[in-house]
Amino acid sequence: MADPDGPLKLSAEPLLSAAAIQERIEELAAQINADYAGAEEIVLLVVLKGAVVFAADLGRRLTMPLRWEFVRAKSYQGAQSTGHVDYRRITDPELQGRHVLVVEDILDTGRTTQKLRSRLEEENPASVALCTLLDKPGQRLVPAAAEYVGFTIGPKFVVGYGLDHDERYRELPAVYTLVG
Ligand code: IMP
Ligand code: MG
């Protein structure tokens, strides 16, 4: 599929097929269900926009009661990290004393996660854990890690399954690399 606006194109084959993603989400959900067994309710804090597809699939496989809440974090323009994280609360959950599971699309430089975690800790939640679909550990500029990682990938820019390039490709059911 060609990008009509520029020279970047989707890879012919997906990096991660729709089936592989769903299979991995089953495993992640089983792990999270075991780790939170007995928790009466957790706050599923979805980081917009990229994590929305992943969160919909993951959340429906979790067995504990969830409160769905949303924040917006934006640090990319096109395929470049701007270095500045624009963070905005979309819903206004009470986090004090609650177990918070942050759902992210991808951990890249680590800036978004670092900023989000420090903001969340200010509200004294009972716990904060991060579940990210993708992790690019080779890209880290600040220390950041996720408790739950779907797939560890190389430094290439990827789109699909919620991830965008300038707001496009989020609806693709698989993850593709952009090739120039
Ligand atoms: P970080 O703050 O650099 O870790 O960036 C995390 C955010 O950058 C993610 O939530 C994405 O929105 C965006 N991002 C990083 N790498 C990619 C990519 O390969 N494809 C699409 N978005 C990405
Ligand atoms: Mg993005």
Side-chain angles (χ1 to χ4, degrees):
M1 206 188 300
D3 180 336
D5 297 332
L8 294 175
K9 293 184 175 24
L10 294 183
S11 53
E13 294 300 319
L15 177 68
L16 302 168
S17 70
I21 294 170
Q22 295 305 319
E23 206 172 295
R24 183 67 187 125
I25 292 175
E26 286 281 358
E27 295 172 356
L28 284 174
Q31 197 186 340
I32 293 168
N33 287 333
D35 290 353
Y36 288 85
E40 46 193 53
E41 184 178 76
I42 68 175
V43 175
L44 198 72
L45 189 65
V46 183
V47 183
L48 297 176
K49 300 177 188 173
V52 83
V53 178
F54 175 42
D57 283 344
L58 178 72
R60 286 180 294 170
R61 290 186 173 103
L62 298 180
T63 50
M64 72 295 280
L66 303 177
R67 279 186 71 108
W68 293 70
E69 304 289 354
F70 299 88
V71 294
R72 171 101 201 251
K74 198 174 177 240
S75 64
Y76 257 71
Q77 251 165 16
Q80 291 300 315
S81 176
T82 61
H84 169 79
V85 182
D86 175 28
Y87 168 92
R88 202 181 321 152
R89 277 173 95 119
I90 304 296
T91 54
D92 202 17
E94 171 66 54
L95 298 183
Q96 178 150 6
R98 297 189 166 267
H99 295 289
V100 180
L101 181 62
V102 179
V103 184
E104 259 281 23
D105 54 356
I106 188 164
L107 200 48
D108 183 49
T109 66
R111 287 183 187 122
T112 306
T113 294
Q114 196 187 55
K115 181 159 181 179
L116 191 55
R117 278 201 200 257
S118 68
R119 292 279 189 109
L120 293 176
E121 293 300 345
E122 288 169 15
E123 299 182 48
N124 300 315
S127 68
V128 176
L130 176 73
C131 179
T132 186
L133 176 69
L134 304 175
D135 188 6
K136 294 199 273 194
Q139 294 282 98
R140 228 54 111 238
L141 295 175
V142 299
E147 283 77 2
Y148 305 97
V149 175
F151 300 90
T152 299
I153 63 171
K156 292 219 174 81
F157 196 81
V158 294
V159 296
Y161 199 72
L163 292 115
D164 73 306
H165 177 255
D166 277 343
E167 301 301 330
R168 299 176 58 229
Y169 305 122
R170 295 191 195 275
E171 67 280 12
L172 299 176
V175 170
Y176 295 82
T177 52
L178 277 185
V179 289

